[in-house]
Amino acid sequence: MKKITALALTSAMVLSLAACGGSSSDTKTSDDSKKASKSDVEYVQDKGTLVVGITDFEPMDYKDDNDEWIGFDADMAKAFAKSLGVDAEFVEIDWDNKVMELDGKTIDCVWNGMTLTDEVTSAMACTSAYCNNAQVVVVPSDNKYQDKDSLKDLSFAVESGSAGEEAVSGEGYDYTAVSSQSDALMEVAAGTSDAAVIDLLMAGAMVGKGTGYENLTHTVELTTEKYGVGFRKGSDLADKLNEFFKTSYNDGSMKKCAETYGVQDAIIEQK
């Protein structure tokens, strides 16, 4: 009888320990599930920062004399972050790695005059278009290049992975890929490339009279396009930003910001 009782007690203890172990595992699984199911809005608000992936791209994102990031995109990103109750933090990225940076959560969005190509929209959760743009050819101001056919023998510098690279490749032109649009301009200024293809909004701010590249000008438009902001695939921040865009367009704050950087004519109505 005593042996039977002892055996019963031992079995009960084993079952109890097994149940406790199962409970711990279930708790961990539940915690992991909660983390995985947390929305991007909650994720950003919990950590207190919206990390914005950018490149140096005047007039959208660039540094002022105080080493602070400013520009139309930068200022709008700061305002959006404030609406979420967090701070905007800007991180310069390699444009080719933007999707990897998003998925790895080293950044929360790409907000840098990003063209809404099929490649971009298939890899990211993107906002509605907020700005019109074009890919334009930049050459020395004493040029005679006024149409696509006149460009065919030129050597181009373009930002790697950009809409400019896609446009030049599509035309069959000879080109060198560099790390940024500003580097592409430097190639032309130095005479190591005949021409660059960059965003029209950047060209308007950085070449011609009163700029750092007075001896350069922009001529032929290769393509037209629209800008959007990209988040991780499935992110609820895209819809949140679309709501913010509508509000800021309707209350005039988006236009006021655009006027500060001379891009007001490119703004798209937010409906």
Side-chain angles (χ1 to χ4, degrees), residues 27-88:
T27 300
K28 185 179 185 302
T29 301
S30 177
D31 289 344
D32 290 344
S33 179
K34 285 179 180 178
K35 288 179 182 178
S37 64
K38 182 182 290 186
S39 74
D40 258 9
V41 171
E42 292 172 322
Y43 169 71
V44 164
Q45 290 176 330
D46 283 352
K47 66 190 177 77
T49 55
L50 176 73
V51 183
V52 184
I54 59 170
T55 63
D56 190 345
F57 174 15
E58 189 176 351
M60 310 309 276
D61 297 295
Y62 63 101
K63 286 187 175 182
D64 64 11
D65 293 338
N66 297 316
D67 209 35
E68 294 290 331
W69 286 103
I70 61 171
F72 176 63
D73 279 352
D75 286 5
M76 290 297 290
K78 292 173 189 175
F80 176 57
K82 185 177 180 180
S83 76
L84 296 174
V86 302
D87 295 322

Side-chain angles (χ1 to χ4, degrees), residues 101-160:
E101 298 276 9
L102 274 177
D103 292 343
K105 291 196 171 182
T106 53
I107 60 173
D108 298 313
C109 64
V110 180
W111 199 332
N112 191 228
M114 182 175 68
T115 304
L116 293 173
T117 63
D118 290 341
E119 182 182 3
V120 164
T121 56
S122 65
M124 305 181 195
C126 295
T127 64
S128 301
Y130 66 91
C131 203
N132 289 307
N133 186 47
Q135 292 300 313
V136 297
V137 176
V138 175
V139 290
S141 53
D142 58 351
N143 80 93
K144 297 180 180 179
Y145 309 111
Q146 299 300 324
D147 56 47
K148 289 183 179 181
D149 191 56
S150 66
L151 304 171
K152 62 184 179 182
D153 295 324
L154 300 184
S155 62
F156 287 83
V158 295
E159 181 183 40
S160 178

